[in-house]
């Protein structure tokens, strides 16, 4: 999965929110790049690192 990439919206959903994703990117835990330097350009986040920091989505009994 290290060669794959997710968009910012999907990565935020997996991690648990946009704020948490941005904090992980700022800390260097997730590599993200934006190839086009435009306002609405697509972000690409490393899929393996996003899945490493995924939130627990199991429902408690």
């Amino acid at each position: 999965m290290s060669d794959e990439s997710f968009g910012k919206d999907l990565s935020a959903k997996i991690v648990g929110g946009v704020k948490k994703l941005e904090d992980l990117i700022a800390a260097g835990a997730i590599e993200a790049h934006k190839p086009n330097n435009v306002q609405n350009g697509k972000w690409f986040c490393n899929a393996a690192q996003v899945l490493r920091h995924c939130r627990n989505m199991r429902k408690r009994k």
Side-chain angles (χ1 to χ4, degrees):
M1 288 298 288
S2 62
D3 296 337
E4 300 294 324
S5 61
F6 292 145
K8 185 177 180 183
D9 292 338
L10 180 61
S11 298
K13 185 176 180 181
I14 292 171
V15 169
V18 177
K19 176 71 173 148
K20 186 169 181 183
L21 176 65
E22 290 173 353
D23 290 343
L24 288 168
I25 291 171
I30 295 177
E31 295 176 7
H33 65 281
K34 185 176 175 182
N36 298 330
N37 195 15
V38 293
Q39 182 179 0
N40 57 351
K42 185 173 173 104
W43 282 86
F44 293 100
C45 302
N46 189 329
Q49 294 171 347
V50 169
L51 292 175
R52 190 175 303 136
H53 296 286
C54 67
R55 67 181 172 144
N56 186 1
M57 297 183 66
R58 292 184 181 173
K59 298 198 181 229
R60 293 186 180 184
K61 292 184 179 181

